[in-house]
Amino acid sequence: MQDRQEKISQVVVTAAQMRDIEQQIFAAGMPVVALMEKVAGLIARRVQDLIPPTPLKKRVGILVGPGHNGGDALVVARELYFRGYEIWIYSPFEKLKELTTQHLQYAQSLGIPCYSAIEELPDCDFLIDGLFGFGLERTITDAIATAINELNERNQPIFSIDLPSGIHTDTGEVLGTAIRATHTFCLGLWKLAFLQDQALDYFGKVELIDFDIPLADVQAVLGEVPKIKRITKVTALSTLPLPRPPVTHKYKEGHLLLVCGSRRYAGGAILTGLGARASGVGMLSIAVPESLKYLLVSHLPEALIIGCPETETGAISQLQLPEKTDLSSFSAIAIGPGLTKDSTPIVQAVMKSPEPLLLDADALNILAQLGTIPTLQQRQAATVLTPHTGEFQRLFPDIADVKADKIKAVQAAASQCGATILLKGARTAISNPQGAVWINPESTPALARGGSGDVLTGLLGGLLAQAATKQIPIEDIVATAAWWHSQAGILAAQERTELGVDAFTLTQYLMPVLKQI
């Protein structure tokens, strides 16, 4: 049972895939009416848990759409009515699906008032949104748009069924206007919209209502391994290279080379190094301009700090590795934070490395200038890019607006260049060149601070170095780093508030994340 729940929690579907999965369920003999009763009963119980009935009746507005989402809302209305809530129904559509019509007729037979105009709906303690479910594609206009806007302005708690009405199931686009829910009950399987940055302002708190979709029905549509998956704690921890064997040594636990920092951006090198330290990598070497060497030693005494010749502006001018050492001596290399664009020759040299390579920050900007796709196509070893949206658009200017559908954008980019790409955001998306996607479903705006990305680069670089000999898919390691990094931000924000999580503080919460497990 737990194995099924874990697999279900990872699944992400489009509207078309959800329809196909439902057809599998109905074709097997599950009556539509029975499934509606089950789903709506689960929602009604959750509503009662969140807003229990009281002697002074809670007043509930039920927003009823023409489809089965409206039917779900009417069953919830009936169940809450029988448990002592005062119910009012707003049903503005003339034509409803047959099952929805039947539930509306029964609700009216109970004496529940029904209104067709939004201004007639009395003020409520909270609302249940069942106007539109998954699959909506047309823009909401006219009276319904006006009603949604008015409901949003009432500032009442709104519980949306499956999706806030007006949100595109796949892209998260607002179709003209949309309900701003305070709580959304996603039904059965996570929809793509829940993992698109542009929709997040509309969901409020989200939870999955698991109504026991058979895993076989999901796999019949999506295959054994879904193309798009949510990162969960179980999946993240399954790829961590811990625990270590009882007999080992530092070089068996990975040797990471960081190439970072400049006189202007010394902090970037420090934060990247601290992120790598937290990864547990066996050996850490950091190449910085000679003038930063002793500063780095003071913060990371266990690391081998490599002082390199520098330009007049304080950037690395030549990568001067220790005697008998070359780029193949390392398990993985990470380059970019604090580097400045003056280090173009260094990025060009490192691109020739036969080892896994992570590019971030200025290394990405230099890569864009060199030509992203032709430059990366020359590499033989695995490459990971970690851009934010602006860097992504510079790297892949021919890909349509990434904000419209970041998941399609990151898949297209990874396919074109042959690298694994981590596209940062409120919902970080990771794709390998074959189009397999991991999405991080949790984060915090506390991470919107300078230097947070440097910490991620060090952490991910350290994990890549440790995993180099363990035959773990690159995208799985990248997903683990994204999850670990965001969980540290969440934990820090809980203890320090969102405003109190600077990048240095973030590094101090990486290990406490693992201690909680």
Side-chain angles (χ1 to χ4, degrees), residues 38-335:
K38 179 171 185 174
V39 170
L42 292 169
I43 295 169
R45 285 194 286 276
R46 281 299 295 137
V47 171
Q48 292 172 71
D49 291 341
L50 294 165
I51 305 182
T54 60
L56 184 62
K57 286 187 176 182
K58 295 286 186 182
R59 300 165 300 174
V60 188
I62 307 293
L63 315 179
V64 178
H68 285 165
N69 196 251
D72 292 337
L74 287 165
V75 177
V76 172
R78 183 196 71 205
E79 293 301 301
L80 295 180
Y81 172 81
F82 284 131
R83 282 154 185 79
Y85 295 78
E86 188 169 0
I87 307 296
W88 295 306
I89 293 172
Y90 167 63
S91 180
F93 297 93
E94 292 183 6
K95 293 183 179 180
L96 309 178
K97 281 195 173 182
E98 182 180 1
L99 189 53
T100 304
T101 298
Q102 292 170 351
H103 283 303
L104 180 59
Q105 290 173 345
Y106 185 64
Q108 290 176 309
S109 78
L110 296 173
I112 297 174
C114 182
Y115 308 97
S116 59
I118 193 61
E119 57 269 16
E120 297 173 347
L121 182 69
D123 285 336
C124 308
D125 292 307
F126 64 94
L127 301 168
I128 303 292
D129 165 32
L131 289 172
F132 302 105
F134 77 87
L136 181 71
E137 293 188 345
R138 67 182 184 277
T139 300
I140 298 175
T141 58
D142 302 328
I144 301 302
T146 300
I148 287 174
N149 292 336
E150 181 176 326
L151 290 166
N152 287 336
E153 290 173 2
R154 290 189 181 189
N155 291 320
Q156 298 164 329
I158 304 178
F159 295 83
S160 284
I161 297 174
D162 211 11
L163 287 157
S165 295
I167 297 295
H168 191 286
T169 310
D170 297 348
T171 66
E173 177 189 357
V174 176
L175 298 169
T177 188
I179 289 287
R180 287 188 179 273
T182 50
H183 203 114
T184 302
F185 301 111
C186 181
L187 303 184
L189 298 168
W190 291 106
K191 316 304 186 297
L192 267 177
F194 287 89
L195 301 161
Q196 300 271 20
D197 288 1
Q198 62 183 331
L200 297 185
D201 282 343
Y202 291 83
F203 289 123
K205 185 175 181 181
V206 301
E207 64 177 281
L208 185 68
I209 300 295
D210 183 358
F211 57 84
D212 303 316
I213 296 175
L215 196 57
D217 289 335
V218 177
Q219 292 173 340
V221 174
L222 302 183
E224 288 287 335
V225 181
K227 201 74 168 177
I228 301 173
K229 295 188 288 186
R230 295 168 74 250
I231 305 169
T232 67
K233 181 170 74 172
V234 170
T235 59
L237 295 178
S238 70
T239 55
L240 276 177
L242 304 175
R244 296 179 174 183
V247 179
T248 187
H249 57 74
K250 59 189 177 185
Y251 291 108
K252 274 193 174 181
E253 300 306 326
H255 188 178
L256 172 66
L257 172 64
L258 296 179
V259 184
C260 51
S262 61
R263 194 184 308 151
R264 184 177 182 185
Y265 301 117
I270 295 169
L271 292 168
T272 308
L274 292 173
R277 168 195 278 174
S279 76
V281 67
M283 187 64 191
L284 175 61
S285 294
I286 309 177
V288 295
E290 181 67 36
S291 60
L292 300 188
K293 180 173 181 178
Y294 294 105
L295 176 63
L296 267 291
V297 168
S298 68
H299 284 84
L300 294 142
E302 77 282 7
L304 173 61
I305 309 300
I306 304 167
C308 297
E310 56 189 273
T311 65
E312 291 183 2
T313 59
I316 299 173
S317 63
Q318 180 183 345
L319 192 59
Q320 198 169 75
L321 297 176
E323 189 178 352
K324 298 182 180 179
T325 303
D326 58 26
L327 293 175
S328 66
S329 303
F330 304 94
S331 310
I333 301 169
I335 181 170

